[in-house]
Amino acid sequence: MKYKLLGPSGLKVSELCLGTMGFGTEWNWGVDQTASFKILDTFANAGGNFLDTANRYTEGSSERIIGEYIKNNRDHFVLATKYSLHDNLTNLNASGNNRKNLFRSVNESLKRLQTDYIDVLYLHIWDFLTPIDEVMRGFQDLVSQGKVNYVAISDTPAWIISSAQTMAQCLGWNKLVALQVEYSLIQRTPERELIPMAQHYGMSVTPWAPLAGGALTGKYLKGDKGRIPEQSKRLNERSVGITKVVMDVAQELGVEPSQVALKWTMQKPFTSIPIVGATKVSQLEENLKAITLQLSPEHIAKLNEASKIEMGFPHEFFEEAGVRQVTYGGFYDKIEKR
Ligand SMILES: NC(=O)c1ccc[n+]([C@@H]2O[C@H](COP(=O)([O-])OP(=O)(O)OC[C@H]3O[C@@H](n4cnc5c(N)ncnc54)[C@H](OP(=O)(O)O)[C@@H]3O)[C@@H](O)[C@H]2O)c1
């Protein structure tokens, strides 16, 4: 295992983050505490220290299981959790990005996690109601109180995150260190705005569902099912076409498709630390081998071609010859690019 710095911070995290949404049986596809502990042991023994959970996962069981696991070695782990989604349905303000929910949710998470601090707190999903300054001020107060070390964001439009980062910079508040987005060979649309934005602010990208929930392992094409419903986009014609190319590349390299799909998210010109889930030790063991795999430029090009997306406006407009001519006065090819 190698380690990366999380965004513009000095925090050292393993190059793979363990997703723990499947810890707990409440959602009818996850695993119990004993099985979760075995997965955690495998990850920790391989040098993994970065764990991802959320207040919402498995109705709190994911946090409870992690709390039980790390309680005797808390400082060793970099514990990331999230707030925003409901963890009870009786309180109007027990969901959303608002300050009341932020403080309530963090206090509940701390109890379930049996700790007095969270290493990385993510806003989970943007609610389009709460002003961003309310969120950033709340984050800053939690950091000042010692309840949270670093703040980060997930599933939020790029323009909102940009304004948050500018505000933090101007006011000397803690900047958001990581951007959590769905990102895989099947879901590349964050390449349009979110990932360039993260690069601009030096944020690490922490892709969720890097295996598209298991679709990119190729197991659904071999008849071995998991938790993805048949009608899911992850199993439509386009996704199956991409998965077949992943399987071809894996065969050429003599490795498993999961390793190819995972490595594609890691071998990037920006800091990318995928959050990968597993409900079996054998799955995690297989995925951990992605660490030593190296994809050649030819293989990356083949995967990129199979999974390419329309970038849309303004990206495609910028590439038009006439637009380049008027923008660079004919010197485009002679100018060093950033
Ligand atoms: N911020 C957000 O909105 C958000 C949303 C979703 C997830 N997340 C985070 O991202 C993490 C990962 O997401 P995810 O679990 O949805 O996606 P994923 O990591 O792409 O998929 C994990 C699933 O793939 C299957 N799998 C993994 N390795 C395998 C292997 N080697 N062979 C065969 N199957 C394998 C397992 O499915 P089966 O269990 O079906 O076998 C496993 O549960 C979550 O745990 C959570 O921490 C964040």
Side-chain angles (χ1 to χ4, degrees), residues 256-271:
E256 295 301 325
S258 63
Q259 293 151 11
V260 171
L262 203 50
K263 194 66 187 202
W264 180 87
T265 68
M266 299 168 81
Q267 217 172 303
K268 291 282 165 191
F270 50 88
T271 308

Side-chain angles (χ1 to χ4, degrees), residues 192-193 310-318:
R192 291 177 181 146
E193 296 296 333
E310 278 189 21
M311 293 298 280
F313 182 86
H315 308 277
E316 289 166 6
F317 177 67
F318 294 145

Side-chain angles (χ1 to χ4, degrees), residues 17-23 29-31 51-54 57 62 80 82 85 122-125 153-155 180-184 206-220 224-228 234 256-259 262 274-288:
C17 177
L18 183 64
T20 66
M21 191 170 67
F23 288 2
W29 58 268
V31 292
L51 305 176
D52 185 80
T53 183
Y57 292 164
S62 172
K82 315 183 191 81
L85 306 187
Y122 286 94
L123 178 150
H124 202 149
I125 296 181
I153 199 155
S154 156
D155 306 345
Q180 192 169 141
V181 283
E182 183 179 2
Y183 186 54
S184 71
T206 49
W208 61 261
L211 300 176
L216 284 165
T217 67
K219 67 179 177 180
Y220 286 82
D224 177 6
K225 301 262 181 278
R227 66 184 147 100
I228 307 178
R234 291 171 174 173
E256 295 301 325
S258 63
Q259 293 151 11
L262 203 50
I275 306 170
V276 65
T279 50
K280 292 189 184 96
V281 166
S282 57
Q283 292 176 345
L284 178 59
E285 283 172 342
E286 189 176 292
N287 301 342
L288 283 165

Side-chain angles (χ1 to χ4, degrees), residues 8 61 71 83 91 108 134 161 168 171 194 226 240 288 314 319:
S61 277
K71 67 181 180 191
Y83 92 100
N91 175 356
E108 294 301 312
E134 181 175 329
I161 302 175
L171 295 172
L194 284 156
V240 165
L288 283 165
E319 281 172 15

